[in-house]
């Protein structure tokens, strides 16, 4: 069987609860690697360099862009974010399913260069939940919350370009949904061409 992993792109407005859904996904499904993005934004309380993000200066980020080190990169809110190419390629070849948690603009760029990517959009049931979660997090200023709400609406409009939508009413159920999607994708005929070809080769032995 072909061992190459799936590239899974997860987007959704800030405050949709993507992080929690993905954390539960890892508890239930181990063949998964998260791509650690590079960002120029300051670390939030408790965030660790190399775990949550690689935190870089604008100059360092621009150098990485010039060196072609990103699968995609974007300005989101007032900061730069990018997906390092090398790690993604390595994990896919090693047979892991790789999750990119990125904004819709970057996601559509990934889909362009990697059409096999599985696109999952996570949204809360109501828009007001986003605002409540952002306020509950207490890490953003009023101005940042305003920008993020505006951005949430922009992101929601892109949901139609995704393959799957998960309404995050319950993060454990959301994680189960992601695993169901992964399993369904793995059963797709287009992802099992080599296996079927091998069976057909074997079938030659049975021709009369
Ligand atoms: P946050 O600052 O809350 O961690 O992330 C803000 C937004 O940036 C989120 O929508 C997140 O999905 C997006 N983001 C994080 N990493 C990347 C990346 O590497 N590329 C792109 N395009 N967006 C990213």
């Amino acid at each position: 069987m072909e061992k190459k992993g799936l590239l899974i792109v997860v987007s959704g407005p800030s405050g949709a609860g993507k992080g929690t859904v993905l954390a539960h996904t890892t508890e239930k499904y181990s063949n998964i690697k998260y791509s650690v993005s590079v960002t120029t934004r300051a670390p939030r309380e408790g965030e660790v360099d190399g775990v949550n993000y690689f935190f870089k200066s604008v100059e360092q980020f621009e150098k990485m862009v010039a060196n072609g080190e990103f699968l995609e990169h974007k300005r989101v809110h007032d900061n730069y974010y990018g997906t390092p190419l090398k790690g993604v390629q390595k994990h896919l070849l090693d047979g892991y399913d790789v999750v990119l948690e990125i904004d819709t603009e970057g996601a559509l760029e990934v889909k362009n260069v990697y059409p096999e990517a599985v696109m999952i959009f996570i949204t809360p049931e109501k828009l007001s939940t986003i605002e409540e979660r952002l306020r509950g997090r207490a890490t953003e200023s009023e101005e940042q919350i305003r920008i993020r709400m505006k951005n949430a609406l922009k992101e929601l409009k892109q949901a139609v370009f995704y393959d799957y939508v998960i309404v995050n009413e319950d993060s454990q159920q959301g994680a189960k949904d992601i695993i169901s999607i992964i399993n369904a994708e793995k059963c797709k005929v287009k992802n099992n061409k080599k296996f079927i070809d091998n069976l057909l080769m074997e079938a030659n032995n049975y021709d009369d």
Side-chain angles (χ1 to χ4, degrees):
M1 292 271 285
E2 202 172 350
K3 216 177 146 246
K4 213 173 122 201
L6 294 173
L7 181 61
I8 302 154
V9 181
V10 176
S11 309
S14 303
K18 287 167 290 183
T20 318
V21 171
L22 291 174
H24 290 318
T25 306
T26 319
E27 290 159 14
K28 298 176 203 297
Y29 181 80
S30 59
N31 191 53
I32 212 163
K33 294 276 183 195
Y34 291 92
S35 163
V36 180
S37 294
V38 178
T39 185
T40 61
R41 87 150 159 75
R44 292 192 189 114
E45 175 113 17
E47 283 186 333
V48 179
D49 187 34
V51 176
N52 304 90
Y53 282 104
F54 293 107
F55 295 99
K56 303 276 182 201
S57 67
V58 172
E59 296 78 58
Q60 287 171 318
F61 194 97
E62 282 171 350
K63 206 165 159 198
M64 290 181 79
V65 173
N67 290 340
E69 292 182 47
F70 290 118
L71 172 58
E72 61 73 42
H73 62 92
K74 278 285 163 301
R75 190 175 160 166
V76 186
H77 309 133
D78 274 330
N79 292 297
Y80 292 99
Y81 295 83
T83 306
L85 183 58
K86 250 198 195 152
V88 172
Q89 284 174 329
K90 185 184 178 307
H91 291 322
L92 287 176
L93 286 174
D94 285 347
Y96 288 105
D97 301 318
V98 179
V99 171
L100 311 183
E101 194 214 311
I102 60 176
D103 79 313
T104 48
E105 231 184 306
L108 297 179
E109 206 175 306
V110 170
K111 186 78 182 174
N112 260 338
V113 292
Y114 199 94
E116 310 94 288
V118 181
M119 311 281 286
I120 305 178
F121 195 88
I122 300 185
T123 174
E125 218 182 344
K126 289 181 292 178
L127 265 183
S128 56
T129 314
I130 297 178
E131 191 180 351
E132 281 160 23
R133 286 199 183 134
L134 285 175
R135 289 191 189 282
R137 203 152 77 180
T139 51
E140 264 91 359
S141 66
E142 275 305 309
E143 172 63 5
Q144 281 169 329
I145 290 179
R146 199 186 59 77
I147 295 174
R148 280 175 187 263
M149 284 309 291
K150 212 173 128 202
N151 221 49
L153 290 176
K154 216 170 97 193
E155 298 245 312
L156 275 173
K157 288 184 187 154
Q158 306 300 314
V160 290
F161 298 113
Y162 282 68
D163 301 310
Y164 300 94
V165 65
I166 291 177
V167 180
N168 182 20
E169 288 170 72
D170 166 2
S171 50
Q172 293 284 2
Q173 183 55 47
K176 284 186 196 157
D177 290 346
I178 291 194
I179 295 165
S180 301
I181 292 168
I182 292 174
N183 287 333
E185 286 291 325
K186 293 209 162 170
C187 292
K188 275 191 170 167
V189 169
K190 70 169 189 184
N191 289 328
N192 290 283
K193 285 258 162 70
K194 262 199 184 148
F195 174 72
I196 292 171
D197 283 349
N198 286 343
L199 277 185
L200 289 173
M201 292 253 283
E202 193 189 347
N204 285 335
N205 301 330
Y206 294 90
D207 267 357
D208 25 74

